[in-house]
Amino acid sequence: MMSSSNGPATGSNESATLTVPFVDSPFLDELLPKSGLNAADQALVREYAEKGYITIDLGLPDFDAVAASVLKDLAPLYPKDDRRVAEAWYFNDAVRKVACAPKLLDVLRKLYQREPIPFQTLNFDAGTQQPAHSDTIHFHCVPHHYMCGVWVAFEDIQPGTGELFVVPKSHRLKTFDMLDLGLTPNPSAYRDYEKSMGKILEAEG
């Protein structure tokens, strides 16, 4: 996961007072030509603003070796009742190399026009099989929407391998918390939260 450092968004006087990400600005069409980004990078920003996600290559020439190292080193660390290892970048050089990949940070700078701050890693050895949800229910930032989730596959992805799914344009939805959905903010209500989000996605098309 990535956050970004404080400071006004780059752009005109009209947009500089908005505390929203560059890609969410209603002045994006005005800001992009002044951003200094080349045509390809401007297209990437527009794609991210439109869909809410993009797919990139991390640009690590030794990625296969790095991925193999992560899989080997973390294999004995996954708890049986929770197949994830939090903050492995604190002690594993390979995980840290991925989380801080220069190309990744550069892309985030272009998307948000701020300095990215890597702040968390979470490794899984299998897909969580979760229904649709928003990570804002787990953690968020103030101002909103400056947190960017980055998902990296350490194996080739095909149907049945626990692949991630994303609902295009769902980043435009209101940020719902459990109180918004009439639920008690408690882990026991999480399945009801997921069901509610599924109904909202269906209703929004």
Side-chain angles (χ1 to χ4, degrees):
M1 297 296 174
M2 304 284 174
S3 185
S4 56
S5 60
N6 291 331
T10 302
S12 67
N13 291 334
E14 291 88 347
S15 61
T17 57
L18 293 180
T19 313
V20 299
F22 179 64
V23 291
D24 290 343
S25 174
F27 303 107
L28 186 61
D29 287 341
E30 172 192 341
L31 295 173
L32 267 178
K34 303 175 183 178
S35 66
L37 299 176
N38 62 34
D41 288 335
Q42 288 189 38
L44 193 69
V45 171
R46 289 189 184 279
E47 180 184 3
Y48 186 56
E50 172 67 17
K51 296 194 307 183
Y53 71 95
I54 54 173
T55 303
I56 65 169
D57 187 309
L58 285 182
L60 293 176
D62 56 345
F63 179 77
D64 288 345
V66 171
S69 176
V70 171
L71 296 175
K72 177 178 177 292
D73 293 347
L74 268 56
L77 303 180
Y78 292 101
K80 291 182 178 180
D81 57 345
D82 182 13
R83 308 301 299 176
R84 67 188 78 193
V85 173
E87 310 297 8
W89 69 326
Y90 288 166
F91 57 84
N92 186 277
D93 290 340
V95 174
R96 186 164 53 254
K97 186 172 186 177
V98 171
C100 300
K103 183 176 178 180
L104 170 60
L105 300 183
D106 185 54
V107 168
L108 289 168
R109 285 187 194 98
K110 292 169 181 175
L111 295 177
Y112 289 88
Q113 295 291 293
R114 293 191 177 192
E115 187 62 24
I117 303 170
F119 73 91
Q120 182 194 55
T121 64
L122 195 58
N123 287 79
F124 299 83
D125 68 344
T128 60
Q129 302 183 52
Q130 283 181 267
H133 66 281
S134 169
D135 279 345
T136 57
I137 199 73
H138 300 289
F139 36 73
H140 209 357
C141 60
V142 178
H144 284 183
H145 303 142
Y146 279 98
M147 185 185 73
C148 178
V150 179
W151 188 81
V152 180
F154 289 105
E155 63 180 357
D156 291 338
I157 297 301
Q158 53 192 328
T161 56
E163 60 275 17
L164 177 75
F165 72 89
V166 179
V167 180
K169 302 185 180 181
S170 58
H171 66 302
R172 298 293 185 185
L173 292 175
K174 179 185 182 300
T175 300
F176 291 97
D177 61 27
M178 287 192 173
L179 291 175
D180 293 325
L181 302 173
L183 300 172
T184 301
N186 191 290
S188 64
Y190 192 75
R191 294 306 175 198
D192 290 329
Y193 158 77
E194 291 176 332
K195 292 176 183 177
S196 296
M197 290 307 300
K199 291 177 181 177
I200 289 171
L201 290 172
E202 183 177 355
E204 293 286 347

